[in-house]
Amino acid sequence: MNTPAHFDPEHILSSARRTFAIEVEALQALGQRLDQNFVQATQLLVHCQGRVVVTGIGKSGHVARKIAATLASTGTPAFFMHAAEALHGDLGMITKQDVVIAISYSGQAQELVTVLTVLRRMGAKLIAITGHAQSELAQNADLHLDAHVEHEACPLNLAPTASTTAALVLGDALAVACLEARGFSREDFARSHPGGALGRQLLTFVRDIMRSGEQLPVVSPDTLVPDALIEMSSKGMGMTIVTDPQGRPVGLFTDGDLRRLIARAGDIRNLPVSEGMSREPRSIAAEALAIEAAEQMDALRISQMLVLD
């Protein structure tokens, strides 16, 4: 292999832009070719009574692994099976209730052709993603999705580039179509991703982080301001809830209210908190998402919010 003495920046950028252009063109052509086979493939996946098994070998195997992960995280139970390992025992993971997505650009990968024979005998459904509609894999699948590209981004037209991108996007399109057909929601996504930022946002409720019971500073409207301050300090909060005799909140007395009361009245030692409290305080339900409470507090520029049942 010849090693260039130096790199021409303009040539490198031109090469990158050519790769982008070729792959974008391939995807646009792919989108225009979508037909009823794609619709039927989506229906087959949505109504699958078992699991979706995505398989491939080589570069297609890497694409298959990613597609399986995307399907699984968007509501379609799926897993990846390496085509070579399938021939040495992993086929035992497949049942006749499953749907197999086999990816091979040539459609002639011997490992997948062998797997195809077993699947047909087993009764599992097969969706083939290939670049050759007349290939053995395409002709013997229940459904064929055409991932043909005119040429690879590789200048030698050898390294799988545009073709693997086409297969990957077809898999993403299937996953999104299934997601929408199932009515998959943000909450469903969060349940599949509890360790991620979105999962924490959508699975954390106000009830999980709120203070309650003896942790809350509470006074009555006629409590003197100095006594209210003691209650606030003892509970470690810059506010206290003001409740009526029935225990219903009628206001909040905060550090800000204290400053405004001092500015207005001067001597506050004999004033009740009702003189300075904020009436009709903002509130939220315990079943609301914590992120909703945070957004409301940010919008209102407040640091506390009552949680009411």
Side-chain angles (χ1 to χ4, degrees):
M1 181 176 67
N2 295 325
T3 302
H6 67 278
F7 293 102
D8 178 0
E10 287 303 317
H11 177 75
I12 291 173
L13 291 174
S14 175
S15 173
R17 294 186 180 110
R18 184 179 66 250
T19 298
F20 273 86
I22 291 172
E23 299 207 6
V24 167
E25 183 181 352
L27 293 181
Q28 289 174 336
L30 177 61
Q32 293 171 358
R33 289 201 308 271
L34 289 179
D35 55 17
Q36 284 301 308
N37 273 12
F38 184 87
V39 176
Q40 293 176 35
T42 301
Q43 293 172 336
L44 194 60
L45 296 178
V46 170
H47 295 113
C48 175
Q49 297 300 304
R51 290 172 298 176
V52 177
V53 183
V54 193
T55 186
I57 195 164
K59 302 298 186 296
S60 294
H62 295 303
V63 172
R65 187 184 297 275
K66 190 274 178 186
I67 292 172
T70 300
L71 285 166
S73 69
T74 52
T76 301
F79 66 88
F80 167 72
M81 181 183 67
H82 194 284
E85 296 295 336
L87 303 181
H88 297 277
D90 281 3
L91 272 171
M93 297 188 292
I94 301 178
T95 71
K96 65 180 181 180
Q97 286 79 31
D98 296 335
V99 174
V100 177
I101 301 176
I103 305 173
S104 167
Y105 187 73
S106 69
Q108 300 294 150
Q110 191 56 50
E111 294 86 351
L112 289 177
V113 172
T114 304
V115 167
L116 165 66
T117 304
V118 179
L119 293 178
R120 301 295 290 180
R121 188 163 60 245
M122 183 184 299
K125 297 294 184 180
L126 176 66
I127 299 170
I129 297 178
T130 83
H132 299 277
Q134 301 306 313
S135 64
E136 187 170 359
L137 188 62
Q139 289 293 305
N140 289 281
D142 294 285
L143 289 167
H144 174 241
L145 299 181
D146 182 9
H148 177 74
V149 298
E150 287 301 318
H151 44 81
E152 302 286 5
C154 167
L156 303 176
N157 201 33
L158 295 175
T161 45
S163 59
T164 48
T165 299
L168 180 62
V169 173
L170 258 179
D172 284 345
L174 282 171
V176 172
C178 290
L179 177 155
E180 294 181 348
R182 295 179 189 278
F184 194 77
S185 67
R186 286 169 59 89
E187 289 73 19
D188 294 323
F189 187 88
R191 280 189 283 272
S192 298
H193 301 74
L198 179 61
R200 290 191 295 273
Q201 289 180 10
L202 296 182
L203 294 178
T204 303
F205 295 90
V206 170
R207 65 170 181 267
D208 299 322
I209 59 174
M210 69 182 187
R211 293 196 184 197
S212 60
E214 294 300 319
Q215 296 177 313
L216 294 176
V218 179
V219 299
S220 63
D222 57 358
T223 300
L224 296 180
V225 171
D227 295 329
L229 295 179
I230 294 173
E231 175 71 359
M232 292 164 62
S233 298
S234 68
K235 299 300 174 60
M237 297 184 69
M239 52 76 68
T240 183
I241 305 167
V242 184
T243 62
D244 65 15
Q246 287 73 44
R248 294 173 300 197
V250 294
L252 283 182
F253 187 73
T254 67
D255 289 336
D257 294 324
L258 173 63
R259 291 192 296 272
R260 287 185 287 272
L261 183 59
I262 292 174
R264 186 176 75 245
D267 188 355
I268 59 169
R269 289 175 294 178
N270 295 311
L271 292 180
V273 291
S274 58
E275 289 292 326
M277 71 182 184
S278 300
R279 300 178 185 276
E280 299 181 358
R282 299 284 180 168
S283 64
I284 195 167
E287 298 305 313
L289 291 172
I291 188 64
E292 294 177 12
E295 289 172 351
Q296 290 187 38
M297 291 165 67
D298 286 343
L300 297 169
R301 296 184 178 180
I302 57 177
S303 57
Q304 298 93 13
M305 182 178 286
L306 292 182
V307 182
L308 301 181
D309 58 22

